[in-house]
Each structure stands twice: as C-alpha cells, then as structure tokens.
Amino acid sequence: APAALALYSEFLPPSRRGSRLILFFLFFSIGTLLESLLAWASLELLDGGYRTLFVLSALPSLLLLLASPALPESPRYLMLRGRTDAACQTLRWAASLNGRVLQPRTAEMLRSIEAPAASYAARSREWMRQAARDVGRLLSAAVLRTTSTCCALFFLMAFVYYALV
C-alpha cells in the first residue's frame, strides 16, 4: 500500500489531497468488513469452504493486475531514468485531470535537469548503508526504551486490527 499511496497522492491536487487520502485509508476498513461478509457467505451460504473464499478474495487483486498497465509511471521515476519527455507527458496528463495546464517553463526546466550520474545500484547500496545506520541509532541505549515502546504499540494495534476485526 505505501507505493500505491505515494503514486495516488502524487497526482492529487493539494486542495483535495487530505480528504482523498482519508477516503483511501477508509477503503481498508471497508475491505476488512466486506472480507468478513464474504467469508461468512462463502463458508455458510455457498458451502464452498476455504477454497471458494480464497478464489473470491483474489478477484480484486486480479482486477488490479489487469488495470496496472494503464497506470502511468511516476514522473520522478521517469526523471531518474533520464526519460524527461515521458515525465513531462505524465505531468501534462495529471495537470489535465486536475483542470490545469502544465506551464511551458515547467517542461523546459525539467528538460534542463540531467539524470543522476550515480547508478541505481550504487544509490541502493548507499541507501541500505544509511538504513543500517538509522536502525543502529534506534537500537542504541539512548532511545532503546522509546523504540521498544513504539514497536510494542504498533504490534498491539496491528494485532487488534487484523486478529480481532
């Protein structure tokens, strides 16, 4: 969901972003309720067992799989790959969805930006090293108690949400 959230919020106008993201997260709760109803219906009414529930539960994912080729690439991703014209085209499309027009100076500015010289693998390795340093800081004696408390609270919230709902 984090990738979907990032892509979705990238194309939302700032004036509507908050309300749309709340709706986005509301669908998780609605989906949980619908899945419970689906489990009851497939196990009690259809007498299909867990296999029927599994197949019916997979249908939304199949729809997403079929629709994913129609989703645009992120302009940031395209810029990092040196595909500036494609990034401009995606931004023009997003602007038109929001009732706006991409300013010509924006497209000119994007074309003047060069793709990063460092390879993707090198940036990934640096990111992993930085992540390891950050985790090390979270586990240091100075903040270990706070880290443990936050992890325990997160676990309890996830347990309540997924195990009891």
Side-chain angles (χ1 to χ4, degrees):
L5 177 64
L7 182 63
Y8 182 60
S9 63
E10 190 171 326
F11 291 104
L12 290 173
S15 62
R16 295 188 209 149
R17 191 170 293 149
S19 61
R20 298 288 169 87
L21 292 179
I22 288 172
L23 285 174
F24 178 84
F25 284 112
L26 182 64
F27 279 110
F28 286 100
S29 299
I30 292 170
T32 301
L33 292 173
L34 290 176
E35 183 65 21
S36 299
L37 290 173
L38 184 64
W40 173 76
S42 66
L43 296 174
E44 294 294 325
L45 298 178
L46 300 176
D47 197 31
Y50 74 92
R51 289 181 182 91
T52 304
L53 175 62
F54 180 77
V55 169
L56 293 174
S57 298
L59 289 178
S61 297
L62 180 63
L63 292 174
L64 179 64
L65 183 66
L66 294 174
S68 62
L71 293 173
E73 286 289 354
S74 164
R76 181 181 182 280
Y77 172 84
L78 293 169
M79 288 297 294
L80 287 173
R81 299 301 181 276
R83 298 174 53 199
T84 307
D85 289 334
C88 289
Q89 183 65 26
T90 301
L91 288 173
R92 277 191 204 91
W93 174 78
S96 70
L97 286 178
N98 292 308
R100 308 279 181 172
V101 175
L102 185 67
Q103 299 297 317
R105 66 175 187 261
T106 303
E108 291 170 18
M109 181 191 69
L110 288 175
R111 286 189 182 90
S112 69
I113 298 172
E114 293 182 20
S119 71
Y120 181 74
R123 288 193 313 271
S124 295
R125 282 191 297 275
E126 178 54 36
W127 182 85
M128 290 298 288
R129 282 192 289 273
Q130 182 61 42
R133 286 191 293 268
D134 291 344
V135 169
R137 281 194 290 263
L138 286 173
L139 298 175
S140 69
V143 293
L144 185 59
R145 184 176 179 168
T146 303
T147 300
S148 301
T149 303
C150 288
C151 288
L153 286 173
F154 179 80
F155 172 78
L156 288 173
M157 288 187 317
F159 179 78
V160 167
Y161 184 80
Y162 290 109
L164 300 179
V165 171

